[in-house]
Amino acid sequence: MKNLSRSARGLFAAAAVASALLVAALAGSAFARPTKTDKTAQDSQLVWPLPPDPPKIRYLESFYGATDFRKKSTWRRALLGPETDPGISLQKPYGIATDSAGRMYVSDTNQGAVFVFDPRARQVRPFASTGRVRLSTPIGLALDEKERVFVADAELNEVFCFDGDGNVLLALGRDQGMKNPTGLAIDRKRHRLYVADSHLHQILVYSTDGQFLARWGSRGSAQGQFNFPTNLALDAEGNVYVVDTGNFRIQILDSEGKAISVFGQAGDGPGSLQRPKGIAVDSEGHVYVVDAAFNNFQIFDRSGQLLLDVGAVGTGPGTFWMPAGIHIDGKDRIFVVDQLNHRVQVFQYIKN
């Protein structure tokens, strides 16, 4: 997206205005969904922006639960979604992370659990512990360089570190008085864990071996202050992106907590933020912000200029109903948690 023309960006903004004003009319079609009935053909054509501009985002697939790995009628899935099944299915997912083997870790606040979607093994399983910890309201997820799984539990007021088998290795937060840990981000180069605590209005910083390092911010609206921060992301330089929810903005801090810049404002137009949730940064530095009120994710450059928005309210591919977490893997695949549609949708960022 680095070389997008001013006119192309104008087209994106115009498309965003249209979707915001015509949500009801577009709920079933989003950005000109194809009319072909073949699902493969449909999916391959679900791209943003519209032609003749070159596509930047492509829809890939969706995951609901155990039924994703069982053979079923394509037309039934397209029309009705996942079939009823006694196996695991998502109820109210929130957080998302992936490992090097392509497994997805998804937190589900309704079920008080984290589930592992394993496409290679074609199974979904609970990420269970040895019983020392019973998760209550898991929200944020992140994996470190050893692929240990960190989980923020907003009700237990702690962040837990698990090994790959689900055994508890660390419990963080009691000594620092965590009140509502939500978003997590891990800097693998610096071996740091960042925790957004929405009730403390702070970012807590730990080493990934559990040592408490720093406490950033206080409640307020100045740069470096927060009002119910919820979600976090990192870029390639180790800068920390904070969804400052109560201030309707994104703050960018360096690795030592110094404020670099801020963008965003409350509103209902393209580029505004109303109920910002998950945040992620792709390999080229574009910033993706999920908004539960707009039922989409918006893509900005680092200065906060809107480049593109993707989605509208709906139940079909490429539409959302109360989206929450977002994660971008090393292949620039975009995983968006679609809460009230009980699924994770996967997209691909298409480089120039």
Side-chain angles (χ1 to χ4, degrees), residues 139-187:
I139 295 184
L141 297 174
L143 275 67
D144 68 4
E145 68 280 357
K146 299 177 183 177
E147 301 208 318
R148 298 180 300 174
V149 182
F150 288 75
V151 182
D153 194 302
E155 187 169 338
L156 298 181
N157 297 322
E158 290 185 272
V159 174
F160 301 99
C161 173
F162 300 89
D163 65 16
D165 296 321
N167 300 306
V168 182
L169 303 177
L170 297 169
L172 310 174
R174 284 192 180 183
D175 291 343
Q176 290 72 48
M178 274 189 192
K179 289 188 178 179
N180 191 230
T182 52
L184 302 179
I186 288 180
D187 186 332

mmCIF file of all heavy atoms in Angstrom, residues 139-187:
data_model
loop_
_atom_site.group_PDB
_atom_site.id
_atom_site.type_symbol
_atom_site.label_atom_id
_atom_site.label_comp_id
_atom_site.label_asym_id
_atom_site.label_seq_id
_atom_site.Cartn_x
_atom_site.Cartn_y
_atom_site.Cartn_z
ATOM 1 N N ILE A 139 -8.941 -13.302 27.640
ATOM 2 C CA ILE A 139 -9.123 -12.306 26.577
ATOM 3 C C ILE A 139 -7.880 -12.262 25.696
ATOM 4 O O ILE A 139 -7.847 -12.830 24.624
ATOM 5 C CB ILE A 139 -9.453 -10.920 27.174
ATOM 6 C CG1 ILE A 139 -10.804 -10.980 27.892
ATOM 7 C CG2 ILE A 139 -9.499 -9.864 26.081
ATOM 8 C CD1 ILE A 139 -11.274 -9.652 28.448
ATOM 9 N N GLY A 140 -6.841 -11.568 26.147
ATOM 10 C CA GLY A 140 -5.652 -11.401 25.322
ATOM 11 C C GLY A 140 -4.799 -12.646 25.253
ATOM 12 O O GLY A 140 -4.678 -13.398 26.228
ATOM 13 N N LEU A 141 -4.186 -12.860 24.086
ATOM 14 C CA LEU A 141 -3.292 -13.996 23.854
ATOM 15 C C LEU A 141 -2.027 -13.505 23.159
ATOM 16 O O LEU A 141 -2.069 -12.588 22.338
ATOM 17 C CB LEU A 141 -3.953 -15.046 22.963
ATOM 18 C CG LEU A 141 -5.216 -15.740 23.467
ATOM 19 C CD1 LEU A 141 -5.792 -16.621 22.362
ATOM 20 C CD2 LEU A 141 -4.903 -16.574 24.694
ATOM 21 N N ALA A 142 -0.908 -14.146 23.472
ATOM 22 C CA ALA A 142 0.349 -13.874 22.769
ATOM 23 C C ALA A 142 1.294 -15.041 22.986
ATOM 24 O O ALA A 142 1.240 -15.707 24.025
ATOM 25 C CB ALA A 142 0.989 -12.575 23.267
ATOM 26 N N LEU A 143 2.155 -15.299 22.006
ATOM 27 C CA LEU A 143 3.159 -16.356 22.096
ATOM 28 C C LEU A 143 4.541 -15.727 22.061
ATOM 29 O O LEU A 143 4.796 -14.797 21.284
ATOM 30 C CB LEU A 143 3.021 -17.348 20.941
ATOM 31 C CG LEU A 143 2.011 -18.498 21.118
ATOM 32 C CD1 LEU A 143 0.592 -17.963 21.168
ATOM 33 C CD2 LEU A 143 2.156 -19.506 19.992
ATOM 34 N N ASP A 144 5.449 -16.251 22.908
ATOM 35 C CA ASP A 144 6.808 -15.726 22.891
ATOM 36 C C ASP A 144 7.683 -16.518 21.925
ATOM 37 O O ASP A 144 7.196 -17.372 21.171
ATOM 38 C CB ASP A 144 7.398 -15.696 24.302
ATOM 39 C CG ASP A 144 7.661 -17.074 24.897
ATOM 40 O OD1 ASP A 144 7.461 -18.097 24.203
ATOM 41 O OD2 ASP A 144 8.071 -17.137 26.077
ATOM 42 N N GLU A 145 8.996 -16.247 21.953
ATOM 43 C CA GLU A 145 9.919 -16.884 21.006
ATOM 44 C C GLU A 145 10.040 -18.387 21.244
ATOM 45 O O GLU A 145 10.425 -19.138 20.339
ATOM 46 C CB GLU A 145 11.290 -16.217 21.071
ATOM 47 C CG GLU A 145 12.067 -16.435 22.357
ATOM 48 C CD GLU A 145 11.629 -15.537 23.510
ATOM 49 O OE1 GLU A 145 10.726 -14.680 23.293
ATOM 50 O OE2 GLU A 145 12.199 -15.694 24.616
ATOM 51 N N LYS A 146 9.692 -18.841 22.444
ATOM 52 C CA LYS A 146 9.687 -20.272 22.745
ATOM 53 C C LYS A 146 8.325 -20.904 22.475
ATOM 54 O O LYS A 146 8.119 -22.076 22.742
ATOM 55 C CB LYS A 146 10.072 -20.497 24.206
ATOM 56 C CG LYS A 146 11.464 -19.984 24.565
ATOM 57 C CD LYS A 146 11.737 -20.178 26.060
ATOM 58 C CE LYS A 146 13.096 -19.610 26.446
ATOM 59 N NZ LYS A 146 13.345 -19.734 27.917
ATOM 60 N N GLU A 147 7.412 -20.087 21.978
ATOM 61 C CA GLU A 147 6.036 -20.487 21.688
ATOM 62 C C GLU A 147 5.300 -20.930 22.954
ATOM 63 O O GLU A 147 4.404 -21.760 22.915
ATOM 64 C CB GLU A 147 5.960 -21.530 20.575
ATOM 65 C CG GLU A 147 6.581 -21.024 19.289
ATOM 66 C CD GLU A 147 5.995 -21.622 18.033
ATOM 67 O OE1 GLU A 147 5.749 -22.836 18.037
ATOM 68 O OE2 GLU A 147 5.791 -20.868 17.063
ATOM 69 N N ARG A 148 5.691 -20.326 24.065
ATOM 70 C CA ARG A 148 4.877 -20.438 25.271
ATOM 71 C C ARG A 148 3.675 -19.509 25.098
ATOM 72 O O ARG A 148 3.780 -18.450 24.466
ATOM 73 C CB ARG A 148 5.686 -20.050 26.502
ATOM 74 C CG ARG A 148 6.894 -20.953 26.745
ATOM 75 C CD ARG A 148 7.660 -20.530 27.983
ATOM 76 N NE ARG A 148 8.145 -19.157 27.864
ATOM 77 C CZ ARG A 148 8.744 -18.500 28.842
ATOM 78 N NH1 ARG A 148 8.929 -19.070 30.027
ATOM 79 N NH2 ARG A 148 9.156 -17.259 28.659
ATOM 80 N N VAL A 149 2.550 -19.897 25.664
ATOM 81 C CA VAL A 149 1.300 -19.175 25.442
ATOM 82 C C VAL A 149 0.967 -18.332 26.673
ATOM 83 O O VAL A 149 0.818 -18.860 27.782
ATOM 84 C CB VAL A 149 0.145 -20.149 25.151
ATOM 85 C CG1 VAL A 149 -1.144 -19.389 24.865
ATOM 86 C CG2 VAL A 149 0.502 -21.060 23.977
ATOM 87 N N PHE A 150 0.845 -17.018 26.465
ATOM 88 C CA PHE A 150 0.465 -16.098 27.532
ATOM 89 C C PHE A 150 -1.004 -15.742 27.362
ATOM 90 O O PHE A 150 -1.445 -15.408 26.263
ATOM 91 C CB PHE A 150 1.327 -14.837 27.490
ATOM 92 C CG PHE A 150 2.752 -15.043 27.923
ATOM 93 C CD1 PHE A 150 3.668 -15.674 27.078
ATOM 94 C CD2 PHE A 150 3.186 -14.620 29.181
ATOM 95 C CE1 PHE A 150 4.988 -15.872 27.475
ATOM 96 C CE2 PHE A 150 4.498 -14.809 29.581
ATOM 97 C CZ PHE A 150 5.399 -15.437 28.731
ATOM 98 N N VAL A 151 -1.748 -15.820 28.471
ATOM 99 C CA VAL A 151 -3.188 -15.569 28.451
ATOM 100 C C VAL A 151 -3.533 -14.543 29.519
ATOM 101 O O VAL A 151 -3.203 -14.727 30.694
ATOM 102 C CB VAL A 151 -3.988 -16.868 28.712
ATOM 103 C CG1 VAL A 151 -5.493 -16.592 28.639
ATOM 104 C CG2 VAL A 151 -3.587 -17.969 27.744
ATOM 105 N N ALA A 152 -4.221 -13.467 29.128
ATOM 106 C CA ALA A 152 -4.712 -12.475 30.089
ATOM 107 C C ALA A 152 -6.129 -12.846 30.488
ATOM 108 O O ALA A 152 -6.996 -13.002 29.630
ATOM 109 C CB ALA A 152 -4.690 -11.083 29.476
ATOM 110 N N ASP A 153 -6.360 -12.996 31.791
ATOM 111 C CA ASP A 153 -7.703 -13.308 32.286
ATOM 112 C C ASP A 153 -8.240 -12.074 33.012
ATOM 113 O O ASP A 153 -7.757 -11.699 34.083
ATOM 114 C CB ASP A 153 -7.673 -14.513 33.230
ATOM 115 C CG ASP A 153 -9.056 -15.066 33.494
ATOM 116 O OD1 ASP A 153 -9.911 -14.297 33.974
ATOM 117 O OD2 ASP A 153 -9.287 -16.263 33.215
ATOM 118 N N ALA A 154 -9.265 -11.455 32.420
ATOM 119 C CA ALA A 154 -9.769 -10.181 32.927
ATOM 120 C C ALA A 154 -10.508 -10.315 34.245
ATOM 121 O O ALA A 154 -10.658 -9.331 34.978
ATOM 122 C CB ALA A 154 -10.689 -9.543 31.880
ATOM 123 N N GLU A 155 -10.996 -11.501 34.574
ATOM 124 C CA GLU A 155 -11.706 -11.697 35.839
ATOM 125 C C GLU A 155 -10.778 -12.151 36.948
ATOM 126 O O GLU A 155 -10.904 -11.715 38.100
ATOM 127 C CB GLU A 155 -12.834 -12.707 35.667
ATOM 128 C CG GLU A 155 -13.726 -12.837 36.891
ATOM 129 C CD GLU A 155 -14.983 -13.636 36.630
ATOM 130 O OE1 GLU A 155 -15.386 -13.747 35.452
ATOM 131 O OE2 GLU A 155 -15.571 -14.152 37.609
ATOM 132 N N LEU A 156 -9.821 -12.997 36.619
ATOM 133 C CA LEU A 156 -8.850 -13.439 37.620
ATOM 134 C C LEU A 156 -7.779 -12.391 37.886
ATOM 135 O O LEU A 156 -7.006 -12.512 38.844
ATOM 136 C CB LEU A 156 -8.199 -14.751 37.178
ATOM 137 C CG LEU A 156 -9.132 -15.949 37.010
ATOM 138 C CD1 LEU A 156 -8.343 -17.181 36.594
ATOM 139 C CD2 LEU A 156 -9.919 -16.220 38.285
ATOM 140 N N ASN A 157 -7.706 -11.363 37.020
ATOM 141 C CA ASN A 157 -6.767 -10.255 37.185
ATOM 142 C C ASN A 157 -5.310 -10.714 37.189
ATOM 143 O O ASN A 157 -4.484 -10.219 37.963
ATOM 144 C CB ASN A 157 -7.069 -9.471 38.472
ATOM 145 C CG ASN A 157 -8.437 -8.826 38.438
ATOM 146 O OD1 ASN A 157 -8.877 -8.335 37.393
ATOM 147 N ND2 ASN A 157 -9.130 -8.836 39.552
ATOM 148 N N GLU A 158 -5.013 -11.673 36.315
ATOM 149 C CA GLU A 158 -3.652 -12.160 36.172
ATOM 150 C C GLU A 158 -3.381 -12.522 34.716
ATOM 151 O O GLU A 158 -4.310 -12.728 33.927
ATOM 152 C CB GLU A 158 -3.409 -13.390 37.052
ATOM 153 C CG GLU A 158 -3.381 -13.103 38.539
ATOM 154 C CD GLU A 158 -3.016 -14.334 39.366
ATOM 155 O OE1 GLU A 158 -3.931 -15.094 39.716
ATOM 156 O OE2 GLU A 158 -1.812 -14.525 39.623
ATOM 157 N N VAL A 159 -2.108 -12.613 34.398
ATOM 158 C CA VAL A 159 -1.663 -13.136 33.108
ATOM 159 C C VAL A 159 -0.910 -14.430 33.389
ATOM 160 O O VAL A 159 0.001 -14.468 34.224
ATOM 161 C CB VAL A 159 -0.739 -12.139 32.385
ATOM 162 C CG1 VAL A 159 -0.176 -12.758 31.108
ATOM 163 C CG2 VAL A 159 -1.495 -10.854 32.056
ATOM 164 N N PHE A 160 -1.306 -15.489 32.692
ATOM 165 C CA PHE A 160 -0.705 -16.804 32.893
ATOM 166 C C PHE A 160 0.130 -17.192 31.684
ATOM 167 O O PHE A 160 -0.240 -16.903 30.542
ATOM 168 C CB PHE A 160 -1.793 -17.857 33.127
ATOM 169 C CG PHE A 160 -2.669 -17.565 34.305
ATOM 170 C CD1 PHE A 160 -3.911 -16.980 34.134
ATOM 171 C CD2 PHE A 160 -2.235 -17.844 35.599
ATOM 172 C CE1 PHE A 160 -4.717 -16.688 35.218
ATOM 173 C CE2 PHE A 160 -3.031 -17.555 36.698
ATOM 174 C CZ PHE A 160 -4.282 -16.977 36.504
ATOM 175 N N CYS A 161 1.237 -17.856 31.962
ATOM 176 C CA CYS A 161 2.094 -18.395 30.911
ATOM 177 C C CYS A 161 2.011 -19.918 30.955
ATOM 178 O O CYS A 161 2.214 -20.520 32.013
ATOM 179 C CB CYS A 161 3.539 -17.934 31.114
ATOM 180 S SG CYS A 161 4.730 -18.704 29.984
ATOM 181 N N PHE A 162 1.702 -20.524 29.802
ATOM 182 C CA PHE A 162 1.577 -21.972 29.693
ATOM 183 C C PHE A 162 2.625 -22.513 28.725
ATOM 184 O O PHE A 162 2.991 -21.832 27.748
ATOM 185 C CB PHE A 162 0.198 -22.361 29.149
ATOM 186 C CG PHE A 162 -0.962 -21.920 29.992
ATOM 187 C CD1 PHE A 162 -1.541 -20.683 29.807
ATOM 188 C CD2 PHE A 162 -1.485 -22.752 30.966
ATOM 189 C CE1 PHE A 162 -2.634 -20.266 30.565
ATOM 190 C CE2 PHE A 162 -2.572 -22.360 31.737
ATOM 191 C CZ PHE A 162 -3.144 -21.115 31.534
ATOM 192 N N ASP A 163 3.075 -23.729 28.964
ATOM 193 C CA ASP A 163 3.898 -24.378 27.946
ATOM 194 C C ASP A 163 2.978 -24.972 26.885
ATOM 195 O O ASP A 163 1.743 -24.833 26.949
ATOM 196 C CB ASP A 163 4.823 -25.431 28.566
ATOM 197 C CG ASP A 163 4.091 -26.617 29.186
ATOM 198 O OD1 ASP A 163 2.893 -26.820 28.893
ATOM 199 O OD2 ASP A 163 4.728 -27.360 29.964
ATOM 200 N N GLY A 164 3.574 -25.631 25.892
ATOM 201 C CA GLY A 164 2.791 -26.140 24.777
ATOM 202 C C GLY A 164 1.786 -27.202 25.149
ATOM 203 O O GLY A 164 0.831 -27.457 24.387
ATOM 204 N N ASP A 165 1.968 -27.833 26.299
ATOM 205 C CA ASP A 165 1.039 -28.861 26.758
ATOM 206 C C ASP A 165 -0.040 -28.312 27.685
ATOM 207 O O ASP A 165 -0.869 -29.064 28.195
ATOM 208 C CB ASP A 165 1.800 -29.972 27.481
ATOM 209 C CG ASP A 165 2.755 -30.710 26.552
ATOM 210 O OD1 ASP A 165 2.374 -30.939 25.385
ATOM 211 O OD2 ASP A 165 3.874 -31.031 26.990
ATOM 212 N N GLY A 166 -0.008 -26.991 27.915
ATOM 213 C CA GLY A 166 -1.018 -26.392 28.780
ATOM 214 C C GLY A 166 -0.663 -26.370 30.243
ATOM 215 O O GLY A 166 -1.519 -26.081 31.087
ATOM 216 N N ASN A 167 0.583 -26.656 30.584
ATOM 217 C CA ASN A 167 1.018 -26.603 31.985
ATOM 218 C C ASN A 167 1.369 -25.166 32.371
ATOM 219 O O ASN A 167 2.038 -24.455 31.615
ATOM 220 C CB ASN A 167 2.247 -27.496 32.200
ATOM 221 C CG ASN A 167 1.963 -28.939 31.857
ATOM 222 O OD1 ASN A 167 1.022 -29.537 32.361
ATOM 223 N ND2 ASN A 167 2.780 -29.511 30.980
ATOM 224 N N VAL A 168 0.948 -24.738 33.545
ATOM 225 C CA VAL A 168 1.190 -23.372 33.991
ATOM 226 C C VAL A 168 2.646 -23.197 34.402
ATOM 227 O O VAL A 168 3.166 -23.957 35.221
ATOM 228 C CB VAL A 168 0.276 -23.013 35.181
ATOM 229 C CG1 VAL A 168 0.508 -21.572 35.612
ATOM 230 C CG2 VAL A 168 -1.179 -23.219 34.813
ATOM 231 N N LEU A 169 3.289 -22.182 33.830
ATOM 232 C CA LEU A 169 4.676 -21.877 34.160
ATOM 233 C C LEU A 169 4.811 -20.619 35.003
ATOM 234 O O LEU A 169 5.673 -20.543 35.880
ATOM 235 C CB LEU A 169 5.492 -21.707 32.879
ATOM 236 C CG LEU A 169 5.490 -22.890 31.902
ATOM 237 C CD1 LEU A 169 6.274 -22.528 30.649
ATOM 238 C CD2 LEU A 169 6.067 -24.137 32.560
ATOM 239 N N LEU A 170 3.976 -19.605 34.731
ATOM 240 C CA LEU A 170 4.058 -18.322 35.416
ATOM 241 C C LEU A 170 2.661 -17.779 35.663
ATOM 242 O O LEU A 170 1.741 -18.035 34.871
ATOM 243 C CB LEU A 170 4.832 -17.292 34.578
ATOM 244 C CG LEU A 170 6.303 -17.542 34.251
ATOM 245 C CD1 LEU A 170 6.772 -16.543 33.199
ATOM 246 C CD2 LEU A 170 7.150 -17.419 35.515
ATOM 247 N N ALA A 171 2.525 -17.003 36.727
ATOM 248 C CA ALA A 171 1.308 -16.234 36.990
ATOM 249 C C ALA A 171 1.746 -14.827 37.370
ATOM 250 O O ALA A 171 2.473 -14.639 38.351
ATOM 251 C CB ALA A 171 0.489 -16.871 38.107
ATOM 252 N N LEU A 172 1.350 -13.847 36.586
ATOM 253 C CA LEU A 172 1.825 -12.480 36.750
ATOM 254 C C LEU A 172 0.678 -11.537 37.092
ATOM 255 O O LEU A 172 -0.444 -11.707 36.601
ATOM 256 C CB LEU A 172 2.487 -11.997 35.448
ATOM 257 C CG LEU A 172 3.549 -12.907 34.824
ATOM 258 C CD1 LEU A 172 3.995 -12.361 33.481
ATOM 259 C CD2 LEU A 172 4.726 -13.067 35.768
ATOM 260 N N GLY A 173 0.983 -10.531 37.919
ATOM 261 C CA GLY A 173 0.040 -9.451 38.116
ATOM 262 C C GLY A 173 -0.392 -9.168 39.535
ATOM 263 O O GLY A 173 -0.778 -8.036 39.849
ATOM 264 N N ARG A 174 -0.366 -10.149 40.411
ATOM 265 C CA ARG A 174 -0.850 -9.909 41.777
ATOM 266 C C ARG A 174 -0.038 -8.841 42.487
ATOM 267 O O ARG A 174 -0.583 -7.935 43.132
ATOM 268 C CB ARG A 174 -0.829 -11.206 42.580
ATOM 269 C CG ARG A 174 -1.952 -12.156 42.237
ATOM 270 C CD ARG A 174 -2.042 -13.274 43.258
ATOM 271 N NE ARG A 174 -3.126 -14.190 42.945
ATOM 272 C CZ ARG A 174 -3.466 -15.226 43.693
ATOM 273 N NH1 ARG A 174 -2.788 -15.476 44.812
ATOM 274 N NH2 ARG A 174 -4.473 -16.012 43.346
ATOM 275 N N ASP A 175 1.271 -8.932 42.381
ATOM 276 C CA ASP A 175 2.125 -7.972 43.088
ATOM 277 C C ASP A 175 2.003 -6.567 42.517
ATOM 278 O O ASP A 175 2.306 -5.589 43.211
ATOM 279 C CB ASP A 175 3.588 -8.425 43.037
ATOM 280 C CG ASP A 175 3.842 -9.680 43.861
ATOM 281 O OD1 ASP A 175 2.988 -10.015 44.706
ATOM 282 O OD2 ASP A 175 4.882 -10.334 43.645
ATOM 283 N N GLN A 176 1.575 -6.457 41.274
ATOM 284 C CA GLN A 176 1.437 -5.151 40.641
ATOM 285 C C GLN A 176 -0.004 -4.636 40.711
ATOM 286 O O GLN A 176 -0.310 -3.584 40.176
ATOM 287 C CB GLN A 176 1.892 -5.215 39.174
ATOM 288 C CG GLN A 176 3.393 -5.394 39.005
ATOM 289 C CD GLN A 176 3.851 -6.799 39.378
ATOM 290 O OE1 GLN A 176 3.253 -7.791 38.947
ATOM 291 N NE2 GLN A 176 4.898 -6.894 40.192
ATOM 292 N N GLY A 177 -0.888 -5.407 41.330
ATOM 293 C CA GLY A 177 -2.270 -4.974 41.495
ATOM 294 C C GLY A 177 -3.062 -4.919 40.213
ATOM 295 O O GLY A 177 -3.907 -4.026 40.030
ATOM 296 N N MET A 178 -2.830 -5.873 39.311
ATOM 297 C CA MET A 178 -3.628 -5.905 38.081
ATOM 298 C C MET A 178 -5.113 -5.905 38.431
ATOM 299 O O MET A 178 -5.558 -6.586 39.355
ATOM 300 C CB MET A 178 -3.314 -7.173 37.273
ATOM 301 C CG MET A 178 -2.138 -7.068 36.353
ATOM 302 S SD MET A 178 -2.058 -8.544 35.272
ATOM 303 C CE MET A 178 -0.417 -8.329 34.587
ATOM 304 N N LYS A 179 -5.879 -5.137 37.633
ATOM 305 C CA LYS A 179 -7.317 -5.055 37.879
ATOM 306 C C LYS A 179 -8.158 -5.548 36.707
ATOM 307 O O LYS A 179 -9.278 -6.006 36.915
ATOM 308 C CB LYS A 179 -7.707 -3.613 38.222
ATOM 309 C CG LYS A 179 -7.235 -3.165 39.593
ATOM 310 C CD LYS A 179 -7.816 -1.801 39.947
ATOM 311 C CE LYS A 179 -7.392 -1.375 41.349
ATOM 312 N NZ LYS A 179 -7.947 -0.036 41.695
ATOM 313 N N ASN A 180 -7.647 -5.422 35.506
ATOM 314 C CA ASN A 180 -8.416 -5.880 34.350
ATOM 315 C C ASN A 180 -7.485 -6.031 33.148
ATOM 316 O O ASN A 180 -7.566 -5.276 32.198
ATOM 317 C CB ASN A 180 -9.545 -4.892 34.035
ATOM 318 C CG ASN A 180 -10.538 -5.439 33.035
ATOM 319 O OD1 ASN A 180 -10.870 -4.799 32.063
ATOM 320 N ND2 ASN A 180 -11.049 -6.637 33.277
ATOM 321 N N PRO A 181 -6.584 -7.014 33.190
ATOM 322 C CA PRO A 181 -5.673 -7.201 32.056
ATOM 323 C C PRO A 181 -6.444 -7.661 30.821
ATOM 324 O O PRO A 181 -7.292 -8.555 30.910
ATOM 325 C CB PRO A 181 -4.709 -8.273 32.555
ATOM 326 C CG PRO A 181 -5.507 -9.054 33.555
ATOM 327 C CD PRO A 181 -6.397 -8.044 34.233
ATOM 328 N N THR A 182 -6.155 -7.046 29.704
ATOM 329 C CA THR A 182 -6.886 -7.364 28.470
ATOM 330 C C THR A 182 -5.905 -7.718 27.352
ATOM 331 O O THR A 182 -5.576 -8.875 27.156
ATOM 332 C CB THR A 182 -7.801 -6.196 28.077
ATOM 333 O OG1 THR A 182 -7.039 -4.969 28.048
ATOM 334 C CG2 THR A 182 -8.950 -6.040 29.059
ATOM 335 N N GLY A 183 -5.421 -6.722 26.627
ATOM 336 C CA GLY A 183 -4.545 -6.992 25.494
ATOM 337 C C GLY A 183 -3.123 -7.310 25.901
ATOM 338 O O GLY A 183 -2.596 -6.777 26.883
ATOM 339 N N LEU A 184 -2.491 -8.196 25.119
ATOM 340 C CA LEU A 184 -1.094 -8.573 25.320
ATOM 341 C C LEU A 184 -0.310 -8.379 24.025
ATOM 342 O O LEU A 184 -0.861 -8.516 22.931
ATOM 343 C CB LEU A 184 -0.982 -10.040 25.728
ATOM 344 C CG LEU A 184 -1.712 -10.519 26.979
ATOM 345 C CD1 LEU A 184 -1.467 -12.016 27.172
ATOM 346 C CD2 LEU A 184 -1.257 -9.741 28.208
ATOM 347 N N ALA A 185 0.967 -8.104 24.175
ATOM 348 C CA ALA A 185 1.888 -8.104 23.039
ATOM 349 C C ALA A 185 3.254 -8.528 23.549
ATOM 350 O O ALA A 185 3.638 -8.173 24.674
ATOM 351 C CB ALA A 185 1.967 -6.731 22.377
ATOM 352 N N ILE A 186 3.972 -9.281 22.729
ATOM 353 C CA ILE A 186 5.297 -9.765 23.125
ATOM 354 C C ILE A 186 6.338 -9.333 22.102
ATOM 355 O O ILE A 186 6.163 -9.532 20.896
ATOM 356 C CB ILE A 186 5.302 -11.302 23.281
ATOM 357 C CG1 ILE A 186 4.529 -11.696 24.544
ATOM 358 C CG2 ILE A 186 6.730 -11.847 23.350
ATOM 359 C CD1 ILE A 186 4.473 -13.181 24.812
ATOM 360 N N ASP A 187 7.395 -8.705 22.613
ATOM 361 C CA ASP A 187 8.550 -8.335 21.807
ATOM 362 C C ASP A 187 9.564 -9.467 21.935
ATOM 363 O O ASP A 187 10.239 -9.606 22.966
ATOM 364 C CB ASP A 187 9.139 -7.017 22.316
ATOM 365 C CG ASP A 187 10.258 -6.492 21.430
ATOM 366 O OD1 ASP A 187 10.940 -7.320 20.785
ATOM 367 O OD2 ASP A 187 10.461 -5.265 21.396
#
